[in-house]
Amino acid sequence: MHRYGRTWSHLASDTSLTELHAFARAQGIPERGFDRDHYDVPAEYHAAMVAAGAVEVTSRELVILLRRAGLRRPKPLAD
């Protein structure tokens, strides 16, 4: 994802939001990066997240994993 002049990744858990928040906190990702069911992580953090145990998946795989875990929180539809 490219926004605000930067490239971003999403950090999510297929287990629980508790696991997600703990992992993000341990990696120094600020809480303000949390967006409903994932953290927005700047590209320069990507290698460190993978080295710490994050697993790369495609956007499609991410949505499937979040849905299976019951963690998907889509944006509300605009009126």
Coordinates of all heavy atoms in Angstrom, one line a residue:
M1 N 0.9 -1.2 0.0 CA 0.0 0.0 0.0 C 0.9 1.2 0.0 O 1.9 1.3 0.7 CB -0.9 0.0 1.2 CG -1.6 1.2 1.5 SD -2.8 1.2 2.9 CE -1.7 1.0 4.3
H2 N 0.6 2.2 -0.8 CA 1.3 3.5 -0.9 C 0.4 4.6 -0.4 O -0.6 4.8 -1.0 CB 1.9 3.7 -2.3 CG 2.9 4.8 -2.3 ND1 4.2 4.6 -1.9 CD2 2.8 6.0 -2.7 CE1 4.9 5.7 -2.1 NE2 4.1 6.6 -2.6
R3 N 0.8 5.3 0.6 CA 0.0 6.4 1.1 C 0.9 7.4 1.9 O 1.9 6.9 2.5 CB -1.1 5.9 2.0 CG -2.0 7.0 2.5 CD -3.1 6.5 3.3 NE -4.1 5.8 2.5 CZ -5.0 4.9 2.9 NH1 -5.1 4.7 4.2 NH2 -5.8 4.3 2.1
Y4 N 0.6 8.6 1.8 CA 1.4 9.7 2.5 C 2.9 9.7 2.1 O 3.7 9.9 2.9 CB 1.3 9.5 4.1 CG -0.2 9.4 4.5 CD1 -0.6 8.3 5.2 CD2 -1.0 10.5 4.4 CE1 -1.9 8.2 5.6 CE2 -2.3 10.4 4.8 CZ -2.8 9.3 5.4 OH -4.1 9.2 5.9
G5 N 3.1 9.4 0.8 CA 4.5 9.4 0.3 C 5.3 8.3 0.8 O 6.6 8.3 0.7
R6 N 4.7 7.2 1.4 CA 5.4 6.1 1.9 C 4.8 4.8 1.5 O 3.6 4.8 1.1 CB 5.4 6.1 3.5 CG 6.1 7.3 4.1 CD 6.0 7.3 5.5 NE 7.1 6.5 6.1 CZ 7.3 6.4 7.4 NH1 6.5 7.0 8.3 NH2 8.3 5.7 7.9
T7 N 5.5 3.7 1.6 CA 5.0 2.4 1.3 C 4.7 1.7 2.7 O 5.6 1.8 3.6 CB 5.9 1.6 0.4 OG1 6.1 2.3 -0.8 CG2 5.4 0.2 0.2
W8 N 3.6 1.0 2.8 CA 3.2 0.4 4.1 C 2.9 -1.1 3.9 O 2.5 -1.5 2.8 CB 1.9 1.1 4.6 CG 2.1 2.6 4.8 CD1 2.1 3.6 3.9 CD2 2.4 3.2 6.1 NE1 2.3 4.8 4.5 CE2 2.5 4.6 5.8 CE3 2.5 2.7 7.4 CZ2 2.7 5.5 6.8 CZ3 2.8 3.7 8.4 CH2 2.9 5.0 8.1
S9 N 3.0 -1.8 5.0 CA 2.6 -3.2 5.1 C 1.5 -3.2 6.1 O 1.4 -2.3 7.0 CB 3.7 -4.1 5.5 OG 4.7 -4.1 4.5
H10 N 0.8 -4.3 6.2 CA -0.2 -4.6 7.2 C 0.4 -5.7 8.1 O 0.9 -6.7 7.6 CB -1.5 -5.0 6.7 CG -2.3 -3.9 6.0 ND1 -3.2 -4.1 5.1 CD2 -2.2 -2.5 6.2 CE1 -3.7 -2.9 4.7 NE2 -3.1 -2.0 5.3
L11 N 0.3 -5.5 9.4 CA 0.7 -6.5 10.4 C -0.6 -7.0 11.1 O -1.3 -6.2 11.7 CB 1.7 -5.9 11.4 CG 2.1 -6.8 12.6 CD1 3.0 -7.9 12.0 CD2 2.9 -6.0 13.6
A12 N -0.8 -8.3 11.0 CA -2.1 -8.8 11.6 C -1.8 -10.1 12.2 O -0.7 -10.7 12.1 CB -3.1 -9.0 10.5
S13 N -2.7 -10.7 13.0 CA -2.6 -12.0 13.6 C -3.8 -12.8 13.1 O -4.9 -12.3 12.9 CB -2.7 -11.8 15.1 OG -2.8 -13.1 15.7
D14 N -3.5 -14.1 12.9 CA -4.6 -15.0 12.6 C -5.0 -15.8 13.8 O -5.7 -16.8 13.7 CB -4.2 -16.0 11.5 CG -3.0 -16.9 11.8 OD1 -2.4 -16.6 12.9 OD2 -2.7 -17.8 11.1
T15 N -4.6 -15.3 15.0 CA -4.9 -16.0 16.2 C -5.8 -15.1 17.1 O -6.9 -15.5 17.5 CB -3.6 -16.4 17.0 OG1 -2.8 -17.2 16.2 CG2 -3.9 -17.1 18.3
S16 N -5.3 -13.9 17.5 CA -6.0 -13.0 18.3 C -5.5 -11.6 18.3 O -4.3 -11.4 17.9 CB -6.0 -13.5 19.8 OG -4.7 -13.3 20.3
L17 N -6.3 -10.6 18.7 CA -5.9 -9.3 18.8 C -4.9 -9.1 19.9 O -4.0 -8.3 19.8 CB -7.1 -8.3 18.9 CG -8.0 -8.2 17.7 CD1 -9.2 -7.3 18.0 CD2 -7.2 -7.7 16.5
T18 N -5.0 -9.9 20.9 CA -4.1 -9.9 22.1 C -2.7 -10.2 21.6 O -1.7 -9.5 21.9 CB -4.5 -10.9 23.2 OG1 -5.8 -10.5 23.6 CG2 -3.5 -10.8 24.3
E19 N -2.6 -11.3 20.8 CA -1.3 -11.6 20.2 C -0.7 -10.5 19.3 O 0.4 -10.1 19.3 CB -1.4 -12.9 19.3 CG -0.1 -13.3 18.7 CD -0.2 -14.4 17.6 OE1 -1.1 -14.2 16.7 OE2 0.5 -15.4 17.7
L20 N -1.6 -9.9 18.5 CA -1.2 -8.9 17.6 C -0.7 -7.7 18.3 O 0.4 -7.1 18.0 CB -2.4 -8.4 16.7 CG -2.2 -7.2 15.8 CD1 -1.1 -7.4 14.8 CD2 -3.5 -6.8 15.1
H21 N -1.4 -7.2 19.3 CA -1.0 -6.0 20.1 C 0.3 -6.3 20.9 O 1.2 -5.5 20.9 CB -2.0 -5.6 21.1 CG -3.3 -5.1 20.5 ND1 -3.3 -4.0 19.6 CD2 -4.6 -5.4 20.6 CE1 -4.5 -3.8 19.2 NE2 -5.3 -4.6 19.8
A22 N 0.5 -7.5 21.4 CA 1.7 -7.9 22.1 C 2.9 -7.9 21.1 O 4.0 -7.4 21.5 CB 1.6 -9.2 22.8
F23 N 2.7 -8.4 19.9 CA 3.8 -8.5 19.0 C 4.2 -7.1 18.5 O 5.4 -6.7 18.5 CB 3.4 -9.3 17.7 CG 4.5 -9.5 16.7 CD1 5.4 -10.6 16.9 CD2 4.6 -8.7 15.7 CE1 6.4 -10.8 15.9 CE2 5.7 -8.8 14.7 CZ 6.5 -9.9 14.9
A24 N 3.2 -6.3 18.2 CA 3.5 -4.9 17.8 C 4.2 -4.1 18.9 O 5.2 -3.4 18.6 CB 2.1 -4.2 17.4
R25 N 3.7 -4.3 20.1 CA 4.4 -3.6 21.2 C 5.8 -4.0 21.4 O 6.7 -3.2 21.5 CB 3.6 -3.8 22.5 CG 3.9 -3.0 23.7 CD 2.9 -3.1 24.9 NE 2.3 -4.4 25.0 CZ 1.0 -4.7 24.7 NH1 0.2 -3.8 24.2 NH2 0.6 -5.9 24.9
A26 N 6.1 -5.3 21.3 CA 7.4 -5.8 21.4 C 8.3 -5.3 20.3 O 9.6 -5.2 20.5 CB 7.4 -7.3 21.4
Q27 N 7.8 -5.0 19.1 CA 8.6 -4.5 18.0 C 8.6 -3.0 17.9 O 9.2 -2.4 17.0 CB 8.0 -5.1 16.7 CG 8.0 -6.6 16.6 CD 9.3 -7.2 17.0 OE1 10.4 -6.8 16.5 NE2 9.3 -8.1 18.0
G28 N 8.0 -2.3 18.9 CA 8.0 -0.9 18.9 C 7.1 -0.2 18.0 O 7.3 1.0 17.7
I29 N 6.1 -0.9 17.5 CA 5.1 -0.3 16.6 C 4.1 0.5 17.5 O 3.5 0.0 18.4 CB 4.3 -1.3 15.8 CG1 5.3 -2.2 15.0 CG2 3.2 -0.7 14.9 CD1 6.1 -1.4 14.0
P30 N 3.9 1.8 17.3 CA 3.0 2.6 18.1 C 1.5 2.2 18.0 O 1.1 1.8 16.9 CB 3.2 4.0 17.6 CG 3.9 3.9 16.3 CD 4.6 2.6 16.2
E31 N 0.8 2.4 19.0 CA -0.6 2.0 19.0 C -1.4 2.8 18.0 O -2.4 2.3 17.5 CB -1.2 2.3 20.4 CG -0.8 1.3 21.5 CD -1.4 1.6 22.8 OE1 -2.5 2.2 22.9 OE2 -0.8 1.2 23.8
R32 N -1.0 4.0 17.7 CA -1.7 4.8 16.7 C -1.7 4.1 15.3 O -2.5 4.5 14.4 CB -1.1 6.2 16.6 CG 0.3 6.3 16.0 CD 0.8 7.7 15.9 NE 2.1 7.8 15.3 CZ 3.2 7.7 16.0 NH1 3.2 7.6 17.3 NH2 4.4 7.7 15.4
G33 N -0.8 3.1 15.1 CA -0.8 2.4 13.8 C -1.9 1.3 13.7 O -2.0 0.7 12.6
F34 N -2.6 1.1 14.8 CA -3.7 0.1 14.7 C -4.9 0.6 14.0 O -5.4 1.7 14.2 CB -4.1 -0.3 16.2 CG -5.1 -1.4 16.2 CD1 -4.7 -2.7 15.8 CD2 -6.4 -1.2 16.6 CE1 -5.7 -3.8 15.8 CE2 -7.3 -2.2 16.7 CZ -7.0 -3.5 16.2
D35 N -5.5 -0.2 13.1 CA -6.6 0.1 12.3 C -7.6 -1.0 12.2 O -7.5 -1.9 11.3 CB -6.2 0.6 10.9 CG -7.3 1.1 10.0 OD1 -8.4 1.4 10.6 OD2 -7.1 1.2 8.8
R36 N -8.5 -1.2 13.1 CA -9.6 -2.2 13.2 C -9.1 -3.6 13.4 O -9.6 -4.3 14.3 CB -10.5 -2.1 12.0 CG -11.3 -0.8 11.9 CD -12.1 -0.7 10.7 NE -11.6 -1.4 9.5 CZ -10.8 -0.8 8.6 NH1 -10.3 0.4 8.8 NH2 -10.4 -1.5 7.6
D37 N -8.2 -4.1 12.5 CA -7.8 -5.5 12.6 C -6.4 -5.7 12.3 O -5.9 -6.9 12.1 CB -8.7 -6.4 11.8 CG -8.8 -6.0 10.3 OD1 -8.0 -5.2 9.9 OD2 -9.7 -6.6 9.6
H38 N -5.6 -4.6 12.1 CA -4.2 -4.7 11.7 C -3.5 -3.5 12.1 O -4.1 -2.5 12.4 CB -4.1 -4.9 10.2 CG -4.6 -3.7 9.4 ND1 -5.9 -3.5 9.1 CD2 -3.9 -2.7 8.9 CE1 -6.0 -2.4 8.4 NE2 -4.8 -1.8 8.3
Y39 N -2.2 -3.5 12.0 CA -1.4 -2.3 12.2 C -0.8 -2.0 10.8 O -0.5 -2.8 10.0 CB -0.2 -2.6 13.1 CG -0.5 -2.6 14.6 CD1 -1.0 -3.7 15.2 CD2 -0.3 -1.4 15.3 CE1 -1.3 -3.7 16.5 CE2 -0.6 -1.4 16.7 CZ -1.1 -2.5 17.3 OH -1.4 -2.5 18.6
D40 N -0.8 -0.7 10.5 CA -0.1 -0.2 9.4 C 1.4 0.0 9.8 O 1.7 0.7 10.7 CB -0.7 1.2 8.9 CG -2.1 1.0 8.4 OD1 -2.4 0.0 7.7 OD2 -3.0 1.9 8.7
V41 N 2.3 -0.6 9.0 CA 3.7 -0.6 9.4 C 4.5 -0.1 8.2 O 4.3 -0.6 7.1 CB 4.1 -2.1 9.7 CG1 5.6 -2.1 10.0 CG2 3.3 -2.7 10.8
P42 N 5.3 1.0 8.4 CA 6.1 1.5 7.3 C 7.0 0.4 6.7 O 7.5 -0.4 7.4 CB 6.9 2.6 8.0 CG 6.2 2.9 9.2 CD 5.5 1.7 9.6
A43 N 7.3 0.6 5.4 CA 8.1 -0.4 4.7 C 9.5 -0.7 5.4 O 10.0 -1.8 5.4 CB 8.3 0.0 3.3
E44 N 10.0 0.4 6.0 CA 11.4 0.2 6.6 C 11.4 -0.7 7.8 O 12.4 -1.2 8.3 CB 12.0 1.6 6.9 CG 11.2 2.5 7.8 CD 10.3 3.5 7.1 OE1 10.0 3.2 5.9 OE2 10.0 4.4 7.7
Y45 N 10.2 -1.0 8.3 CA 10.1 -2.0 9.5 C 9.8 -3.4 9.0 O 9.9 -4.3 9.8 CB 8.9 -1.6 10.4 CG 9.1 -0.4 11.2 CD1 9.1 0.9 10.7 CD2 9.3 -0.6 12.6 CE1 9.3 2.0 11.6 CE2 9.4 0.5 13.5 CZ 9.5 1.8 12.9 OH 9.6 2.9 13.7
H46 N 9.5 -3.6 7.7 CA 9.1 -4.9 7.2 C 10.1 -6.0 7.5 O 9.8 -7.0 8.0 CB 8.9 -4.8 5.7 CG 8.4 -6.0 5.1 ND1 9.2 -7.0 4.5 CD2 7.1 -6.5 4.9 CE1 8.5 -8.0 4.1 NE2 7.3 -7.7 4.3
A47 N 11.4 -5.8 7.2 CA 12.4 -6.8 7.4 C 12.5 -7.2 8.9 O 12.6 -8.4 9.2 CB 13.8 -6.4 6.9
A48 N 12.4 -6.2 9.7 CA 12.5 -6.5 11.2 C 11.3 -7.3 11.7 O 11.4 -8.2 12.5 CB 12.6 -5.2 12.0
M49 N 10.1 -7.0 11.1 CA 8.9 -7.8 11.5 C 9.0 -9.2 11.1 O 8.7 -10.1 11.8 CB 7.6 -7.2 10.8 CG 7.3 -5.8 11.2 SD 7.0 -5.5 13.0 CE 8.4 -4.7 13.4
V50 N 9.5 -9.5 9.9 CA 9.7 -10.8 9.4 C 10.8 -11.5 10.2 O 10.6 -12.7 10.6 CB 10.1 -10.8 7.9 CG1 10.5 -12.2 7.4 CG2 8.9 -10.3 7.1
A51 N 11.9 -10.8 10.5 CA 12.9 -11.4 11.4 C 12.4 -11.8 12.7 O 12.9 -12.7 13.4 CB 14.1 -10.5 11.5
A52 N 11.4 -11.0 13.2 CA 10.9 -11.3 14.6 C 9.8 -12.4 14.5 O 9.3 -12.8 15.6 CB 10.3 -10.0 15.1
G53 N 9.5 -12.9 13.3 CA 8.5 -14.0 13.3 C 7.3 -13.8 12.4 O 6.5 -14.7 12.3
A54 N 7.1 -12.5 11.9 CA 5.9 -12.3 11.1 C 6.1 -13.1 9.8 O 7.2 -13.3 9.3 CB 5.8 -10.8 10.8
V55 N 5.0 -13.5 9.2 CA 5.1 -14.3 8.0 C 4.4 -13.5 6.8 O 3.3 -13.0 7.0 CB 4.3 -15.6 8.2 CG1 4.2 -16.4 6.9 CG2 4.9 -16.4 9.3
E56 N 5.1 -13.4 5.7 CA 4.6 -12.6 4.6 C 3.5 -13.4 3.9 O 3.6 -14.6 3.7 CB 5.7 -12.4 3.6 CG 6.7 -11.4 4.0 CD 7.7 -11.2 2.9 OE1 7.4 -10.3 2.0 OE2 8.8 -11.8 2.9
V57 N 2.4 -12.7 3.6 CA 1.3 -13.3 2.9 C 0.7 -12.2 1.9 O 1.0 -11.1 2.1 CB 0.1 -13.8 3.8 CG1 0.5 -14.9 4.7 CG2 -0.5 -12.6 4.6
T58 N 0.0 -12.7 0.9 CA -0.6 -11.7 0.0 C -1.8 -11.0 0.7 O -2.3 -11.5 1.7 CB -1.1 -12.4 -1.3 OG1 -2.2 -13.3 -0.9 CG2 0.0 -13.2 -2.0
S59 N -2.3 -9.9 0.1 CA -3.4 -9.3 0.6 C -4.6 -10.2 0.7 O -5.4 -10.2 1.6 CB -3.8 -8.0 -0.2 OG -2.8 -7.1 -0.2
R60 N -4.8 -11.0 -0.4 CA -5.9 -11.9 -0.4 C -5.8 -13.0 0.7 O -6.8 -13.3 1.4 CB -5.9 -12.6 -1.8 CG -7.0 -13.6 -2.0 CD -7.0 -14.1 -3.4 NE -8.0 -15.1 -3.7 CZ -9.3 -14.8 -4.1 NH1 -9.6 -13.6 -4.3 NH2 -10.1 -15.8 -4.2
E61 N -4.6 -13.5 0.9 CA -4.4 -14.5 1.9 C -4.7 -13.9 3.3 O -5.2 -14.5 4.2 CB -3.0 -15.0 1.9 CG -2.7 -15.9 0.7 CD -1.2 -16.2 0.6 OE1 -0.3 -15.3 0.8 OE2 -0.9 -17.4 0.2
L62 N -4.3 -12.6 3.5 CA -4.5 -11.9 4.8 C -6.0 -11.9 5.1 O -6.4 -12.2 6.2 CB -3.9 -10.5 4.7 CG -4.1 -9.7 6.0 CD1 -3.5 -10.3 7.2 CD2 -3.5 -8.3 5.7
V63 N -6.8 -11.4 4.1 CA -8.2 -11.3 4.4 C -8.8 -12.7 4.7 O -9.6 -12.9 5.6 CB -8.9 -10.7 3.2 CG1 -10.4 -10.8 3.3 CG2 -8.5 -9.2 3.0
I64 N -8.4 -13.7 4.0 CA -8.9 -15.1 4.2 C -8.5 -15.5 5.7 O -9.4 -16.1 6.4 CB -8.3 -16.1 3.2 CG1 -9.0 -15.8 1.8 CG2 -8.6 -17.5 3.6 CD1 -8.3 -16.5 0.7
L65 N -7.3 -15.3 6.1 CA -6.8 -15.7 7.4 C -7.6 -14.9 8.5 O -8.0 -15.5 9.5 CB -5.3 -15.5 7.5 CG -4.5 -16.5 6.7 CD1 -3.0 -16.0 6.7 CD2 -4.5 -17.9 7.3
L66 N -7.8 -13.7 8.3 CA -8.5 -12.9 9.3 C -10.0 -13.3 9.4 O -10.5 -13.4 10.5 CB -8.5 -11.4 8.9 CG -7.2 -10.7 9.1 CD1 -7.2 -9.3 8.5 CD2 -6.8 -10.6 10.6
R67 N -10.6 -13.6 8.3 CA -12.0 -14.1 8.3 C -12.1 -15.4 9.0 O -13.0 -15.7 9.8 CB -12.5 -14.2 6.9 CG -12.9 -12.9 6.3 CD -13.5 -13.0 4.9 NE -13.8 -11.7 4.4 CZ -13.9 -11.5 3.1 NH1 -13.7 -12.4 2.2 NH2 -14.2 -10.3 2.7
R68 N -11.2 -16.4 8.7 CA -11.2 -17.7 9.3 C -11.0 -17.6 10.8 O -11.6 -18.4 11.6 CB -10.1 -18.6 8.8 CG -10.4 -19.2 7.5 CD -9.3 -20.1 7.0 NE -9.5 -20.6 5.7 CZ -8.5 -21.0 4.9 NH1 -7.3 -21.1 5.3 NH2 -8.8 -21.4 3.7
A69 N -10.2 -16.6 11.3 CA -10.0 -16.4 12.7 C -11.1 -15.6 13.4 O -11.1 -15.5 14.6 CB -8.6 -15.8 12.9
G70 N -12.0 -15.1 12.6 CA -13.1 -14.2 13.1 C -12.6 -12.9 13.5 O -13.2 -12.2 14.4
L71 N -11.5 -12.4 13.0 CA -10.9 -11.2 13.3 C -11.1 -10.0 12.3 O -10.7 -8.9 12.6 CB -9.4 -11.3 13.6 CG -9.0 -12.3 14.7 CD1 -7.5 -12.6 14.8 CD2 -9.5 -11.7 16.1
R72 N -11.7 -10.3 11.2 CA -11.8 -9.3 10.1 C -12.8 -8.3 10.5 O -13.9 -8.6 11.0 CB -12.3 -10.0 8.8 CG -12.5 -9.0 7.7 CD -11.1 -8.6 7.2 NE -11.3 -7.8 6.0 CZ -10.6 -6.7 5.7 NH1 -9.7 -6.2 6.5 NH2 -10.8 -6.0 4.6
R73 N -12.4 -7.0 10.5 CA -13.2 -5.9 10.8 C -13.2 -4.9 9.6 O -12.4 -3.9 9.6 CB -12.6 -5.1 12.1 CG -12.5 -6.0 13.3 CD -13.8 -6.2 14.0 NE -13.7 -6.9 15.2 CZ -13.7 -8.3 15.4 NH1 -14.0 -9.0 14.3 NH2 -13.6 -8.8 16.5
P74 N -14.1 -5.1 8.6 CA -14.1 -4.2 7.5 C -14.6 -2.8 7.8 O -15.3 -2.6 8.8 CB -15.0 -4.9 6.5 CG -15.8 -5.9 7.3 CD -15.0 -6.2 8.6
K75 N -14.2 -1.9 7.0 CA -14.7 -0.5 7.2 C -16.2 -0.5 7.0 O -16.7 -1.2 6.1 CB -14.0 0.4 6.1 CG -12.6 0.7 6.4 CD -12.0 1.7 5.4 CE -10.6 2.0 5.8 NZ -10.0 2.9 4.8
P76 N -16.9 0.3 7.7 CA -18.3 0.4 7.5 C -18.6 1.1 6.2 O -17.8 1.9 5.7 CB -18.8 1.3 8.6 CG -17.6 1.7 9.4 CD -16.4 1.1 8.8
L77 N -19.7 0.7 5.5 CA -20.1 1.3 4.3 C -20.6 2.7 4.5 O -21.3 3.0 5.5 CB -21.2 0.4 3.6 CG -20.9 -1.0 3.3 CD1 -22.1 -1.7 2.8 CD2 -19.8 -1.0 2.2
A78 N -20.2 3.6 3.6 CA -20.7 5.0 3.6 C -22.1 5.0 3.2 O -22.6 4.2 2.4 CB -19.8 5.8 2.7
D79 N -22.8 5.9 3.8 CA -24.3 6.1 3.5 C -24.4 6.8 2.1 O -23.8 7.6 1.7 CB -25.0 7.0 4.5 CG -25.1 6.2 5.9 OD1 -25.1 5.0 5.8 OD2 -25.1 6.8 6.9

